[in-house]
PDB file of all heavy atoms in Angstrom:
ATOM      1  N   MET A   1     -59.645  12.937 -67.270  1.00  0.00           N
ATOM      2  CA  MET A   1     -60.569  12.612 -66.110  1.00  0.00           C
ATOM      3  C   MET A   1     -61.164  11.198 -66.341  1.00  0.00           C
ATOM      4  O   MET A   1     -61.481  10.844 -67.463  1.00  0.00           O
ATOM      5  CB  MET A   1     -61.680  13.655 -66.041  1.00  0.00           C
ATOM      6  CG  MET A   1     -62.647  13.379 -64.899  1.00  0.00           C
ATOM      7  SD  MET A   1     -63.871  14.700 -64.717  1.00  0.00           S
ATOM      8  CE  MET A   1     -63.014  15.750 -63.551  1.00  0.00           C
ATOM      9  N   ALA A   5     -66.980   2.962 -64.543  1.00  0.00           N
ATOM     10  CA  ALA A   5     -67.132   1.801 -65.364  1.00  0.00           C
ATOM     11  C   ALA A   5     -68.571   1.337 -65.471  1.00  0.00           C
ATOM     12  O   ALA A   5     -68.994   0.670 -66.419  1.00  0.00           O
ATOM     13  CB  ALA A   5     -66.174   0.679 -64.894  1.00  0.00           C
ATOM     14  N   LYS A  16     -63.004   7.209 -54.863  1.00  0.00           N
ATOM     15  CA  LYS A  16     -63.093   5.833 -54.499  1.00  0.00           C
ATOM     16  C   LYS A  16     -64.581   5.275 -54.753  1.00  0.00           C
ATOM     17  O   LYS A  16     -64.732   4.066 -54.846  1.00  0.00           O
ATOM     18  CB  LYS A  16     -62.631   5.555 -53.105  1.00  0.00           C
ATOM     19  CG  LYS A  16     -61.190   5.951 -52.840  1.00  0.00           C
ATOM     20  CD  LYS A  16     -60.695   5.413 -51.567  1.00  0.00           C
ATOM     21  CE  LYS A  16     -59.392   5.959 -51.174  1.00  0.00           C
ATOM     22  NZ  LYS A  16     -58.329   5.647 -51.942  1.00  0.00           N
ATOM     23  N   GLY A  34     -47.949  -3.287 -56.501  1.00  0.00           N
ATOM     24  CA  GLY A  34     -48.561  -2.898 -55.274  1.00  0.00           C
ATOM     25  C   GLY A  34     -49.181  -1.465 -55.388  1.00  0.00           C
ATOM     26  O   GLY A  34     -49.238  -0.938 -56.421  1.00  0.00           O
ATOM     27  N   VAL A  50     -44.914 -14.983 -70.381  1.00  0.00           N
ATOM     28  CA  VAL A  50     -45.350 -16.134 -71.030  1.00  0.00           C
ATOM     29  C   VAL A  50     -46.473 -15.682 -72.067  1.00  0.00           C
ATOM     30  O   VAL A  50     -47.398 -15.006 -71.597  1.00  0.00           O
ATOM     31  CB  VAL A  50     -45.849 -17.215 -70.192  1.00  0.00           C
ATOM     32  CG1 VAL A  50     -46.282 -18.425 -70.960  1.00  0.00           C
ATOM     33  CG2 VAL A  50     -44.705 -17.798 -69.332  1.00  0.00           C
ATOM     34  N   ARG A  54     -54.783 -15.551 -77.690  1.00  0.00           N
ATOM     35  CA  ARG A  54     -56.173 -15.318 -77.275  1.00  0.00           C
ATOM     36  C   ARG A  54     -57.120 -15.890 -78.318  1.00  0.00           C
ATOM     37  O   ARG A  54     -56.905 -15.545 -79.536  1.00  0.00           O
ATOM     38  CB  ARG A  54     -56.422 -13.887 -77.023  1.00  0.00           C
ATOM     39  CG  ARG A  54     -57.886 -13.630 -76.650  1.00  0.00           C
ATOM     40  CD  ARG A  54     -58.207 -12.137 -76.770  1.00  0.00           C
ATOM     41  NE  ARG A  54     -57.536 -11.376 -75.662  1.00  0.00           N
ATOM     42  CZ  ARG A  54     -57.881 -11.257 -74.409  1.00  0.00           C
ATOM     43  NH1 ARG A  54     -59.117 -11.861 -74.078  1.00  0.00           N
ATOM     44  NH2 ARG A  54     -57.241 -10.597 -73.510  1.00  0.00           N
ATOM     45  N   ILE A  62     -66.377 -24.199 -83.349  1.00  0.00           N
ATOM     46  CA  ILE A  62     -66.503 -24.305 -84.908  1.00  0.00           C
ATOM     47  C   ILE A  62     -65.353 -25.084 -85.544  1.00  0.00           C
ATOM     48  O   ILE A  62     -65.587 -25.953 -86.285  1.00  0.00           O
ATOM     49  CB  ILE A  62     -66.578 -22.884 -85.416  1.00  0.00           C
ATOM     50  CG1 ILE A  62     -68.002 -22.297 -85.067  1.00  0.00           C
ATOM     51  CG2 ILE A  62     -66.518 -22.919 -86.960  1.00  0.00           C
ATOM     52  CD1 ILE A  62     -68.102 -20.775 -85.336  1.00  0.00           C
ATOM     53  N   TYR A  72     -59.620 -30.551 -81.125  1.00  0.00           N
ATOM     54  CA  TYR A  72     -59.591 -30.718 -79.708  1.00  0.00           C
ATOM     55  C   TYR A  72     -58.152 -31.126 -79.222  1.00  0.00           C
ATOM     56  O   TYR A  72     -57.626 -30.567 -78.269  1.00  0.00           O
ATOM     57  CB  TYR A  72     -60.525 -31.936 -79.247  1.00  0.00           C
ATOM     58  CG  TYR A  72     -60.747 -32.030 -77.844  1.00  0.00           C
ATOM     59  CD1 TYR A  72     -61.874 -31.448 -77.191  1.00  0.00           C
ATOM     60  CD2 TYR A  72     -59.981 -32.786 -76.962  1.00  0.00           C
ATOM     61  CE1 TYR A  72     -62.146 -31.396 -75.887  1.00  0.00           C
ATOM     62  CE2 TYR A  72     -60.193 -32.927 -75.644  1.00  0.00           C
ATOM     63  CZ  TYR A  72     -61.306 -32.340 -75.108  1.00  0.00           C
ATOM     64  OH  TYR A  72     -61.580 -32.366 -73.771  1.00  0.00           O
ATOM     65  N   TRP A  75     -55.306 -28.143 -80.604  1.00  0.00           N
ATOM     66  CA  TRP A  75     -55.228 -26.969 -79.848  1.00  0.00           C
ATOM     67  C   TRP A  75     -54.081 -27.128 -78.824  1.00  0.00           C
ATOM     68  O   TRP A  75     -53.305 -26.135 -78.701  1.00  0.00           O
ATOM     69  CB  TRP A  75     -56.548 -26.744 -79.005  1.00  0.00           C
ATOM     70  CG  TRP A  75     -56.512 -25.570 -78.033  1.00  0.00           C
ATOM     71  CD1 TRP A  75     -56.874 -24.335 -78.444  1.00  0.00           C
ATOM     72  CD2 TRP A  75     -56.105 -25.534 -76.769  1.00  0.00           C
ATOM     73  NE1 TRP A  75     -56.819 -23.532 -77.340  1.00  0.00           N
ATOM     74  CE2 TRP A  75     -56.296 -24.255 -76.276  1.00  0.00           C
ATOM     75  CE3 TRP A  75     -55.705 -26.505 -75.838  1.00  0.00           C
ATOM     76  CZ2 TRP A  75     -56.048 -23.848 -75.007  1.00  0.00           C
ATOM     77  CZ3 TRP A  75     -55.471 -26.130 -74.465  1.00  0.00           C
ATOM     78  CH2 TRP A  75     -55.572 -24.871 -74.067  1.00  0.00           C
ATOM     79  N   MET A 112     -63.130 -45.013 -88.633  1.00  0.00           N
ATOM     80  CA  MET A 112     -63.507 -44.988 -89.906  1.00  0.00           C
ATOM     81  C   MET A 112     -63.416 -46.340 -90.609  1.00  0.00           C
ATOM     82  O   MET A 112     -64.153 -46.832 -91.349  1.00  0.00           O
ATOM     83  CB  MET A 112     -62.836 -43.907 -90.726  1.00  0.00           C
ATOM     84  CG  MET A 112     -63.211 -42.541 -90.363  1.00  0.00           C
ATOM     85  SD  MET A 112     -62.412 -41.265 -91.440  1.00  0.00           S
ATOM     86  CE  MET A 112     -60.780 -41.127 -90.693  1.00  0.00           C
ATOM     87  N   ASN A 116     -65.854 -51.408 -92.130  1.00  0.00           N
ATOM     88  CA  ASN A 116     -65.732 -52.455 -93.059  1.00  0.00           C
ATOM     89  C   ASN A 116     -64.946 -53.561 -92.532  1.00  0.00           C
ATOM     90  O   ASN A 116     -64.899 -54.691 -93.072  1.00  0.00           O
ATOM     91  CB  ASN A 116     -64.995 -51.990 -94.363  1.00  0.00           C
ATOM     92  CG  ASN A 116     -65.627 -50.761 -95.033  1.00  0.00           C
ATOM     93  OD1 ASN A 116     -66.915 -50.745 -94.946  1.00  0.00           O
ATOM     94  ND2 ASN A 116     -64.952 -49.975 -95.634  1.00  0.00           N
ATOM     95  N   PHE A 131     -57.641 -43.215 -75.365  1.00  0.00           N
ATOM     96  CA  PHE A 131     -57.709 -41.759 -75.840  1.00  0.00           C
ATOM     97  C   PHE A 131     -58.358 -40.926 -74.690  1.00  0.00           C
ATOM     98  O   PHE A 131     -57.963 -39.840 -74.356  1.00  0.00           O
ATOM     99  CB  PHE A 131     -58.573 -41.679 -77.125  1.00  0.00           C
ATOM    100  CG  PHE A 131     -58.975 -40.304 -77.445  1.00  0.00           C
ATOM    101  CD1 PHE A 131     -58.007 -39.333 -77.832  1.00  0.00           C
ATOM    102  CD2 PHE A 131     -60.348 -39.977 -77.445  1.00  0.00           C
ATOM    103  CE1 PHE A 131     -58.395 -38.071 -78.184  1.00  0.00           C
ATOM    104  CE2 PHE A 131     -60.660 -38.569 -77.833  1.00  0.00           C
ATOM    105  CZ  PHE A 131     -59.736 -37.709 -78.225  1.00  0.00           C
ATOM    106  N   TYR A 137     -55.863 -36.920 -68.644  1.00  0.00           N
ATOM    107  CA  TYR A 137     -54.413 -36.642 -68.107  1.00  0.00           C
ATOM    108  C   TYR A 137     -53.873 -35.388 -68.637  1.00  0.00           C
ATOM    109  O   TYR A 137     -53.367 -34.514 -67.869  1.00  0.00           O
ATOM    110  CB  TYR A 137     -53.581 -37.792 -68.444  1.00  0.00           C
ATOM    111  CG  TYR A 137     -52.104 -37.640 -68.183  1.00  0.00           C
ATOM    112  CD1 TYR A 137     -51.713 -37.500 -66.758  1.00  0.00           C
ATOM    113  CD2 TYR A 137     -51.181 -37.508 -69.054  1.00  0.00           C
ATOM    114  CE1 TYR A 137     -50.420 -37.461 -66.415  1.00  0.00           C
ATOM    115  CE2 TYR A 137     -49.791 -37.348 -68.763  1.00  0.00           C
ATOM    116  CZ  TYR A 137     -49.448 -37.216 -67.390  1.00  0.00           C
ATOM    117  OH  TYR A 137     -48.168 -37.057 -67.121  1.00  0.00           O
ATOM    118  N   LEU A 168     -63.891 -30.607 -62.537  1.00  0.00           N
ATOM    119  CA  LEU A 168     -64.946 -31.305 -63.361  1.00  0.00           C
ATOM    120  C   LEU A 168     -65.005 -30.655 -64.751  1.00  0.00           C
ATOM    121  O   LEU A 168     -65.064 -31.378 -65.760  1.00  0.00           O
ATOM    122  CB  LEU A 168     -66.353 -31.290 -62.676  1.00  0.00           C
ATOM    123  CG  LEU A 168     -67.438 -31.874 -63.477  1.00  0.00           C
ATOM    124  CD1 LEU A 168     -67.153 -33.421 -63.667  1.00  0.00           C
ATOM    125  CD2 LEU A 168     -68.850 -31.681 -62.774  1.00  0.00           C
ATOM    126  N   TYR A 177     -62.365 -25.045 -71.765  1.00  0.00           N
ATOM    127  CA  TYR A 177     -62.401 -24.436 -70.444  1.00  0.00           C
ATOM    128  C   TYR A 177     -60.964 -23.851 -70.179  1.00  0.00           C
ATOM    129  O   TYR A 177     -60.862 -22.733 -69.603  1.00  0.00           O
ATOM    130  CB  TYR A 177     -62.617 -25.535 -69.521  1.00  0.00           C
ATOM    131  CG  TYR A 177     -62.697 -24.977 -68.024  1.00  0.00           C
ATOM    132  CD1 TYR A 177     -63.621 -24.034 -67.581  1.00  0.00           C
ATOM    133  CD2 TYR A 177     -61.843 -25.581 -67.082  1.00  0.00           C
ATOM    134  CE1 TYR A 177     -63.681 -23.583 -66.323  1.00  0.00           C
ATOM    135  CE2 TYR A 177     -61.939 -25.193 -65.722  1.00  0.00           C
ATOM    136  CZ  TYR A 177     -62.849 -24.198 -65.382  1.00  0.00           C
ATOM    137  OH  TYR A 177     -62.899 -23.784 -63.998  1.00  0.00           O
TER     138      TYR A 177
END
Side-chain angles (χ1 to χ4, degrees):
M1 182 175 267
K16 297 190 188 295
V50 176
R54 176 190 293 277
I62 291 170
Y72 193 93
W75 180 87
M112 287 188 283
N116 302 330
F131 170 65
Y137 173 70
L168 179 63
Y177 183 60

